[in-house]
Amino acid sequence: MTVQPFVHSIRPPDFIPETFDNHIVRRLSDMRGQFADEAAYERLAGGGDPVLYEVYEFLTPAVAGELLSGISILHSGVVGEEYFMTKGHFHEVLDTAEIYHCLSGRGVMMMETPEGRSAAVDLVPGTILYVPPRWAHRSVNVAGDSDLITFFAYPAHAGHDYATIESRGFRRLVLQGDRAPRTVDNPRWKE
Ligand code: F6R
Ligand code: ZN
């Protein structure tokens, strides 16, 4: 199957694409077990099931050579001291990279390798982040009151390994600090 050239368009302030192929909505209930403060999670869940983030995808065939791109919109909020975040994943084809371009908001991309290296990069409008092959990645919205909006693109055959992060978490967490966000070791991280 050959893909014809195509365009999509986004505009500030909300950057919701006018056209897209797939819309993913992830709610608090999709993140059960991922936030460090379980009591805070249950309190928030008791009040409903808020949407944490939405992804608008521009699909292409899942084969090497194609790129899959889209817009990720991560809402602001906290579970206890921990900011709203994406599930995070390794790519199933581990040797595949990803590019993120921050369009709006303030965030941190938490990343780690299977070998135990860890990195946290600030995202502000204009930031272009290269996530190299092998690095798991999770977006965290550290703004108090605005969405974190990013454009992303990655090899369309990469696939997603969510299970590894679901079972052991990320090695580092991003928490609210007095003046600025702080990153700490995840006390519940499992080898
Ligand atoms: C794709 C990618 C992003 C994320 C999106 C939502 O490889 O990294 O498009 O999929 O930011 O995060 P997850 O997929 O972790 O729920
Ligand atoms: Zn990815």
Side-chain angles (χ1 to χ4, degrees):
M1 175 184 160
T2 59
V3 179
Q4 295 298 307
F6 63 80
V7 297
H8 292 279
S9 61
I10 49 172
R11 282 196 195 86
D14 64 12
F15 293 98
I16 295 172
E18 288 167 7
T19 54
F20 50 85
D21 302 309
N22 192 32
H23 181 205
I24 299 166
V25 177
R26 295 238 210 261
R27 295 178 176 275
L28 185 66
S29 56
D30 297 312
M31 298 287 286
R32 177 171 288 280
Q34 295 303 299
F35 288 98
D37 186 338
E38 287 179 350
Y41 176 94
E42 295 304 338
R43 277 197 301 278
L44 192 58
D49 192 10
V51 172
L52 266 54
Y53 59 101
E54 302 180 54
V55 181
Y56 296 89
E57 291 182 320
F58 311 137
L59 296 179
T60 52
V63 297
E66 299 282 356
L67 293 176
L68 197 154
S69 61
I71 300 292
S72 165
I73 301 180
L74 172 56
H75 302 308
S76 66
V78 285
V79 177
E81 291 189 299
E82 197 172 10
Y83 294 105
F84 281 6
M85 61 193 185
T86 59
K87 285 166 84 80
H89 55 264
F90 288 93
H91 289 166
E92 211 170 343
V93 181
L94 200 54
D95 260 331
T96 53
E98 184 154 351
I99 289 272
Y100 277 85
H101 177 199
C102 180
L103 300 166
S104 184
R106 237 165 23 95
V108 172
M109 188 69 78
M110 183 55 72
M111 293 168 281
E112 67 182 45
T113 67
E115 294 76 28
R117 294 174 67 196
S118 192
V121 169
D122 290 338
L123 299 174
V124 297
T127 303
I128 296 171
L129 166 65
Y130 181 69
V131 180
R134 305 182 65 78
W135 287 77
H137 40 286
R138 158 180 283 167
S139 318
V140 182
N141 184 343
V142 302
D145 54 2
S146 57
D147 290 343
L148 174 66
I149 307 178
T150 50
F151 169 82
F152 60 83
Y154 64 99
H157 70 298
H160 295 97
D161 163 16
Y162 289 106
T164 302
I165 297 297
E166 273 167 10
S167 65
R168 75 177 188 201
F170 271 74
R171 292 165 194 261
R172 304 271 295 166
L173 307 178
V174 186
L175 305 181
Q176 279 182 320
D178 286 342
R179 288 200 183 80
R182 59 201 171 96
T183 61
V184 299
D185 282 339
N186 178 0
R188 299 191 313 161
W189 187 81
K190 297 193 205 94
E191 187 80 52

